[in-house]
Amino acid sequence: SGGFDPSALIDAVGSMSGPLRYTSLVPGQLVKAFQIPEAVAALASLDAVLLGGAATPVPLREKAHDAGIRLVRTYGMSETAGGCVYDGVPLRDTLVRIHDGRVVLGGKTVASGYRGLPDHPAFAEPGWFRTDDAGTIVDGVLSISGRLDEAISTGGLTVVPQVVEAALITHPAVLECAVVGLPDERLGQKIVVAVVASAPVTLADLRSHVAASLDITAAPRELFLLDSLPTRGPGKLNRAELQTVL
């Protein structure tokens, strides 16, 4: 309705009874909560904060850990009846595999299909749901790198925005960022970044920062400085709207 107000966490958490207390946030909401010390303290008093809806940058996880906030990363969607993987580990009776870099989910909580769309390719294999998420499984732990349907095709290369965002968010001046592709006559799409900054920052700074951990082809070619990033639903980044305003 009125958007996420991190100050409301203080009284909301204080009114919760035990014996165990949890709340669920998306990463963008946690970023905003860190602007209010009392909200951070309220979150630290909980048994855990379930964090999902988008990839959680490593610096944000480390910041939460240092503040005494216990994070549990969640993964799931409507087609899986909500969260089915926690901190990379599937729930009992949840099946996870990777096919051509794509996460595929199975098990008792997975829907049988979409109503009115019996031939939808996401449910082509009975008992399994083919997601649009790219991921890997190492030692039984699932990691999500980004959404395949948001990938940017630039100069014949495919770049997953979330991978570039994970590199950019480690820059000390970057509070929030979002990477999208915009039309380009030469490249097909060019990588651009929208940044909410805590200090002055330039495109050259960010390109050098990305190139330190990724190939230079993944570095943004244009920078937009914004006061806030557009969101939808419970605070998830609205990448489609962002593309229309840049």
Side-chain angles (χ1 to χ4, degrees), residues 12 29 33 70 77 82 101 103-104 117 128 149 192 210 236 245:
Q29 293 172 329
R70 182 183 175 231
M77 54 215 72
V103 179
V104 184
L117 298 171
W128 293 87
D149 58 352
V192 305
V210 170
K236 296 182 182 180
V245 300

Side-chain angles (χ1 to χ4, degrees), residues 93-115:
D93 296 326
T94 293
L95 305 174
V96 182
R97 60 182 170 87
I98 305 297
H99 180 72
D100 290 337
R102 182 188 299 267
V103 179
V104 184
L105 300 171
K108 294 181 179 179
T109 66
V110 173
S112 59
Y114 293 122
R115 185 182 299 274

Side-chain angles (χ1 to χ4, degrees), residues 34-118:
F34 270 106
Q35 299 172 5
I36 302 176
E38 294 82 1
V40 175
L43 292 177
S45 73
L46 296 172
D47 292 277
V49 174
L50 307 181
L51 203 64
T56 306
V58 172
L60 181 59
R61 297 193 334 237
E62 293 174 343
K63 189 174 184 179
H65 178 272
D66 293 342
I69 300 173
R70 182 183 175 231
L71 296 183
V72 176
R73 289 172 290 137
T74 69
Y75 176 67
M77 54 215 72
S78 299
E79 292 87 347
T80 65
C84 60
V85 179
Y86 292 80
D87 278 342
V89 179
L91 292 176
R92 185 181 59 203
D93 296 326
T94 293
L95 305 174
V96 182
R97 60 182 170 87
I98 305 297
H99 180 72
D100 290 337
R102 182 188 299 267
V103 179
V104 184
L105 300 171
K108 294 181 179 179
T109 66
V110 173
S112 59
Y114 293 122
R115 185 182 299 274
L117 298 171

Side-chain angles (χ1 to χ4, degrees), residues 5-27:
D5 179 7
S7 63
L9 282 171
I10 303 166
D11 290 337
V13 170
S15 67
M16 294 171 68
S17 58
L20 299 176
R21 302 181 305 153
Y22 304 90
T23 192
S24 181
L25 301 175
V26 299

